[in-house]
Amino acid sequence: MARRVLIVEDEDTLRFTFEHFLAAEGYAVDTAADFAEAIGKVESADYDLVFTDIILGNDNGIDVLREVKERQPSIPVVMITGYPNVETASDAVRLGAFDYLPKPVKRDALLRVARMALEHKDLMEEREKYRTNLEAIFQSVDDAILTVDLDMNVVAYNESGKYFFSLAAESIGRRYVPGEGNGAFLHALTETLKTKRPVETQRTECVVGGSEKRVVSLKTSPLVDRTGTFSGAVMVVRDETRLDDLEKSFEGRETFHNLVGSSPRMKEIYAFVESLADVPTTVLVTGESGTGKELVAAALHYKGGRSTKPFVKVNCSALAEPLLESELFGHVKGAFTGAIKDKMGRFQKADGGTIFLDEIGDISPGMQVRLLRVLQEREFERVGDSTPIKVDVRVIAATNVDLAEKVRIGQFREDLFYRLKVVRIHIPPLRERREDIPLLVEHFLAKFRTKFKKEVSAVSDEVMKVFMSYPWPGNVRELEHVLEHSCIVCTSGLITLEHLPSDFMEHHEIHGIEPATERETTLQAIRKALEKSGGNKAKAARLLGISRITLYRKLNELKIVHDE
């Protein structure tokens, strides 16, 4: 369709010449001799481009520009003048003129400016369409979204965010200050702005709309443009109150705050964690390596009243005593070689929240003394400083060693041991809750399907037999690593024995299982895929990574009864 152009020129010869030049290039051209005629045509038709002389007899082309921009802001307007001056130029630029053409106007210049103006209009309209679509998506998302700049000033929010974060139109450009009970929002945004890394918080309680308590999960991510410039952070908050309520009321629940299992012992742990969540006592979590001690500690923190405050984790076995002391309690400038500035310790960072001391059984006698004082008096001094610092911190410790035995042989202080084990939660090894293995397999397969974008839907019966009989010295963590390897190498929808890690098969005795024949493996894979898809052949074929025609052929070859 021809682009429509309006020429506003009071000189008949020029008006005819411009019309001839543009019409010869395929434009649909209308003309007007004065202001009134021009505005009448703009009101009755949609134009892609307007050329107007600045001098229109008794009228002024600047007035044409002003009226066109008020009625149709996207139309580019090109000014034509024989006497340009600073005043008219500044007025035209302020009102949004696209360009100037000095008289005498040559054909090539006229056509070049017309092309440039129309390309600019198309680009602006495309950008506006893109922006409008993004805005529609932004506003339609049920999750609450908030973006802030590097100074924590509000940049944008969607309709859900307006309610969740108690924002109004005047909040744009002002510093975001969360209401009482929403410290988790500020903490997550602050960490992302400081570290340029995502922060994720699962199932924490907050106050929305100024007074309503809700259970939410939130994630913050850095805002980075295509040039790599870091400009702020975006926070997405999902309301999981209903899911949390259902989870609490569901007696046969299979998961609890990232913990997976429906065995009686795991259900006891879920109930115990819920009962302890708001009790400020010290908790000792025990269990073999890989059983999920950190997950229990996180559940204790995020299920309680401290969930909006920091959850700080420290691996006590990863640092030598001098470094661990500085890491836990901080230091002042000059306290030791390399202390070039003051440093805040983990206990101070966790003020109001929870500190998780993993591998507590590995700390030195000197650190045991200092930690005992913190537990007794809730205060400490930074390395190189004698000023006591008071903190309100809940301590959760974890160990995979027998602390009672270490006390007996003199490697761990008895008084610290009893301070730590005011309440003890023991996580059973995986071999003592084998009924949870199928659930864990499903959980990890779902995780890796998303991570690797592969439709690995199940493990074969032979693999499940191996999993159920294997002692799992590495517990849940080992199971996760085995499944991750298997998902990477698996090229179909079913994990079989050949996909298991070679060291897992070689270094641990797995006997009494005959490898399945190719026919049995294929048969099993198809049946599992059909079961997963509810009998839907097309979906089953996608799960198996084959075409629908191939699936029908194999169904016939294997004599599997199926409905057409």
Side-chain angles (χ1 to χ4, degrees), residues 440-457 476-488 495:
L440 288 162
V441 169
E442 285 289 331
H443 170 76
F444 289 128
L445 286 181
K447 174 182 174 180
F448 296 134
R449 275 196 297 272
T450 301
K451 180 177 180 180
F452 301 126
K453 295 180 173 56
K454 295 178 72 172
E455 286 295 338
V456 181
S457 57
V476 178
R477 185 183 297 121
E478 184 183 7
L479 173 60
E480 180 180 10
H481 291 167
V482 167
L483 285 169
E484 182 171 13
H485 170 94
S486 302
C487 284
I488 291 171
I495 292 175

Side-chain angles (χ1 to χ4, degrees), residues 83-149:
Y83 307 99
N85 59 62
V86 173
E87 184 178 351
T88 57
S90 62
D91 286 345
V93 169
R94 178 174 53 81
L95 292 170
F98 175 76
D99 203 353
Y100 266 88
L101 273 178
K103 292 181 180 179
V105 178
K106 296 183 178 180
R107 176 181 176 277
D108 289 346
L110 180 73
L111 298 179
R112 185 183 69 254
V113 170
R115 284 195 301 271
M116 291 172 58
L118 291 171
E119 287 172 1
H120 176 77
K121 179 176 183 288
D122 292 343
L123 178 61
M124 292 300 101
E125 288 180 346
E126 188 65 29
R127 285 183 177 177
E128 178 60 21
K129 180 181 177 182
Y130 182 66
R131 188 201 64 78
T132 302
N133 289 342
L134 281 180
E135 180 68 17
I137 295 169
F138 186 66
Q139 294 298 340
S140 67
V141 174
D142 291 333
D143 295 346
I145 304 175
L146 169 69
T147 60
V148 298
D149 63 18

Side-chain angles (χ1 to χ4, degrees), residues 225-237:
D225 64 22
R226 65 181 63 184
T227 66
T229 303
F230 175 58
S231 61
V234 58
M235 176 164 61
V236 180
V237 178

Side-chain angles (χ1 to χ4, degrees), residues 314-321 324-325 328-329 357-372 375 397-399 401 403 406 411-413 416 420:
V314 183
N315 187 333
C316 298
S317 67
L319 299 170
E321 181 176 352
L324 179 60
E325 184 178 26
L328 288 177
F329 307 118
L357 304 175
D358 198 10
E359 307 295 352
I360 193 68
D362 295 336
I363 64 173
S364 66
M367 282 302 302
Q368 292 176 34
V369 173
R370 292 209 62 179
L371 184 57
L372 179 62
L375 293 176
T399 183
V401 300
L403 285 186
K406 296 197 80 169
Q411 293 182 355
F412 203 85
R413 292 181 63 98
L416 176 58
L420 290 172

Side-chain angles (χ1 to χ4, degrees), residues 4 39 44 46 57-58 87 102 105 117 161 165 175 203 254 267 269 294 307 314 317 377 413-414 500 524 543 562:
R4 197 163 188 177
I39 299 310
S44 62
D46 291 327
N58 296 325
E87 184 178 351
V105 178
F165 309 124
R175 185 173 178 79
R203 300 283 183 88
E254 298 177 344
K267 289 179 183 176
I269 290 174
E294 184 178 322
S307 61
V314 183
S317 67
E377 303 175 18
R413 292 181 63 98
E414 186 174 20
L500 298 179
Q524 192 179 122
L543 290 173
H562 62 90

Side-chain angles (χ1 to χ4, degrees), residues 40-61:
K41 293 199 173 184
V42 169
E43 287 178 341
S44 62
D46 291 327
Y47 289 98
D48 297 298
L49 174 60
V50 173
F51 287 95
T52 180
D53 200 340
I54 287 185
I55 306 300
L56 296 170
N58 296 325
D59 298 322
N60 190 328

Side-chain angles (χ1 to χ4, degrees), residues 20 30 41 65 177 229 234 248 284 317 329 367 424 430:
H20 175 72
D30 289 337
K41 293 199 173 184
L65 170 63
V177 180
T229 303
V234 58
K248 287 179 180 177
L284 179 64
S317 67
F329 307 118
M367 282 302 302
R424 176 174 173 262
L430 189 54

